[in-house]
Amino acid sequence: MTRFLIHPSDLAKRRKRCSAVADKLLSLERHCVTACNICGSPKNVVIAERDRYGMPLRTAMCTNCGLVYLVDRFSSAGYARFYYEGMYRDVSSSFLGVRHGIAQIQTNQADYGRHLASTLQGYLEPESGASLIDIGGSAGVVALEFKRRFKLRAVVLDPSAEEAAAARSAGLEAATASLEDWSSEEKFDVALLCRSVEHFFDLRKALEKIRALLTADGVFYCDIADFMELCRLTGPAETITKADHCYWLSYDTAPAIFRAAGFEVISMNLVFGSGQIGFLMRPCEPEPVTPLAPAVVEERVRRLLEIESAWRTYGRTYPGFGDWLHHKAYRAKRKIVKSLNFFRTPASRPNSVAPSHNR
């Protein structure tokens, strides 16, 4: 029998813990999105009617370009409150059953920042005096690592007042705003978007804005949580989708989506664990998305249905020691892989940055 990281009974318990915060979130202004933000197609498949927190927020997959997006979402003003007031931390902490303060966030970011900087060593060679913008840069720990490693002037942009303040306390320039609402005449040599692309309210606008912020020879690093792989590991779409993730990408659809916004993928990074994929890109001329072949769409839908069926079957079993052990083994494996990757040098790390297939 297929085991998943979240048992149906576990999801029910987590949603119960989230109910008070979810009720508060549902008071925020919402609207409905029925067309793809990237290609504009109205053709989609609704793959979830609730998010992982139990809120009635539908998720759809565009059958033209493969983008997964929230049909029901908060308004721009609603998301501004959601991040500025720290509501996203409240609901996420309730779901996970643990509260992560700024100190814990900074520890996690320090490990990630060192790992990412080592992975990009040699691929990223900015000249003296070059500048970096870390979009959704939180407390600024990753930006500090890049400032130290690559001698960059670093700026952090984050919609959370608390996290932007932490970045300033660390000695960085920081602005409290979402990328969509922020404006600057400055051009940057490096742009980072780490664990944040799913949070944008307007994905196309945000990607085009990042392109406009880069110098002609600038580079853009963005990582994604691969939607299809997370479903395979965790369960159907409703175990993954959430109010604060307006979009989801996958390794096979992301390059064309980036290209539509004017970015060419030059390297893919596969070393951050299951479902985590990084893309190193440079500006290029935008190209319209080539529609997915019907067979590809059919296969993705079939796979999601198979995962849903297997998860329901899994739900008819009582979660016991085997499930606990499976979950703990997965967590332990991730920690071991992270530790091994951290101590490897880029030269000794095989296939750590795999060349992309340019479209």
Side-chain angles (χ1 to χ4, degrees):
M1 178 181 295
T2 303
R3 283 193 171 99
F4 296 92
L5 293 177
I6 293 185
H7 190 277
S9 63
D10 183 31
L11 181 63
K13 292 177 183 176
R14 291 172 183 241
R15 284 174 167 173
K16 186 175 181 179
R17 291 202 302 260
C18 294
S19 59
V21 184
D23 288 343
K24 180 180 179 181
L25 291 176
L26 289 175
S27 67
L28 297 175
E29 182 183 14
R30 284 176 285 164
H31 66 188
C32 182
V33 176
T34 58
C36 177
N37 176 264
I38 293 295
C39 68
S41 174
K43 298 180 180 179
N44 61 51
V45 177
V46 176
I47 58 176
E49 63 178 356
R50 293 190 294 170
D51 76 344
R52 73 177 192 174
Y53 305 129
M55 290 188 283
L57 306 177
R58 294 167 293 174
T59 299
M61 180 182 71
C62 174
T63 56
N64 185 61
C65 72
L67 181 70
V68 174
Y69 59 93
L70 275 180
V71 173
D72 308 296
R73 65 181 67 169
F74 305 138
S75 65
S76 179
Y79 277 114
R81 279 192 59 200
F82 181 71
Y83 289 112
Y84 185 84
E85 297 178 16
M87 295 182 192
Y88 73 106
R89 292 286 181 206
D90 294 337
V91 70
S92 178
S93 297
S94 296
F95 185 82
L96 297 174
V98 61
R99 181 76 186 187
H100 288 155
I102 287 293
Q104 181 62 48
I105 293 168
Q106 290 173 320
T107 299
N108 292 339
Q109 288 179 348
D111 293 339
Y112 173 88
R114 287 191 294 266
H115 188 178
L116 179 59
S118 295
T119 300
L120 294 180
Q121 192 82 43
Y123 291 88
L124 189 64
E125 296 182 334
E127 296 180 356
S128 176
S131 59
L132 170 146
I133 182 166
D134 190 357
I135 300 158
S138 188
V141 178
V142 175
L144 278 173
E145 178 63 27
F146 274 70
K147 179 181 179 179
R148 181 189 68 80
R149 186 80 64 100
F150 300 106
K151 311 305 179 186
L152 293 159
R153 170 180 161 261
V155 177
V156 170
L157 178 65
D158 198 274
S160 168
E162 181 183 15
E163 292 176 38
R168 291 189 198 97
S169 296
L172 293 166
E173 297 176 51
T176 306
S178 65
L179 177 66
E180 293 99 326
D181 296 331
W182 186 70
S183 62
S184 174
E185 297 299 321
E186 185 175 0
K187 297 285 185 179
F188 297 88
D189 300 285
V190 180
L192 298 180
L193 184 65
C194 303
R195 301 175 176 178
S196 298
V197 67
E198 295 87 2
H199 292 263
F200 284 131
F201 181 74
D202 186 333
L203 179 60
R204 176 179 275 277
K205 177 181 177 181
L207 291 175
E208 290 174 346
K209 199 161 187 178
I210 292 171
R211 187 174 183 272
L213 284 169
L214 281 176
T215 60
D217 297 324
V219 292
F220 171 39
Y221 178 83
C222 174
D223 56 18
I224 68 168
D226 187 293
F227 183 78
M228 295 300 293
E229 177 66 6
L230 289 181
C231 285
R232 184 187 72 82
L233 292 168
T234 309
E238 68 172 293
T239 67
I240 297 167
T241 62
K242 44 187 175 178
D244 50 322
H245 280 202
C246 292
Y247 305 98
W248 295 87
L249 296 88
S250 296
Y251 85 96
D252 54 346
T253 60
I257 289 172
F258 288 132
R259 189 82 186 214
F263 288 106
E264 175 187 20
V265 176
I266 54 177
S267 290
M268 289 176 63
N269 177 333
L270 306 176
V271 300
F272 278 87
S274 299
Q276 304 297 312
I277 302 174
F279 297 88
L280 185 64
M281 296 172 274
R282 60 189 175 201
C284 69
E285 287 301 313
E287 293 183 5
V289 175
T290 301
L292 296 177
V296 173
V297 176
E298 181 180 344
E299 173 58 28
R300 293 173 79 88
V301 172
R302 180 184 295 113
R303 183 63 186 132
L304 289 171
L305 290 172
E306 289 172 350
I307 290 171
E308 174 80 26
S309 178
W311 189 71
R312 296 297 174 191
T313 299
Y314 178 50
R316 290 195 287 271
T317 66
Y318 184 78
F321 178 74
D323 299 285
W324 177 86
L325 189 62
H326 173 69
H327 182 78
K328 290 297 182 182
Y330 173 78
R331 298 298 181 189
K333 178 183 175 182
R334 289 188 64 183
K335 289 182 179 179
I336 292 171
V337 169
K338 286 181 178 180
S339 298
L340 291 175
N341 282 330
F342 174 74
F343 287 109
R344 290 175 182 167
T345 63
S348 68
R349 191 184 297 123
N351 298 322
S352 64
V353 183
S356 68
H357 299 286
N358 294 333
R359 303 170 83 101

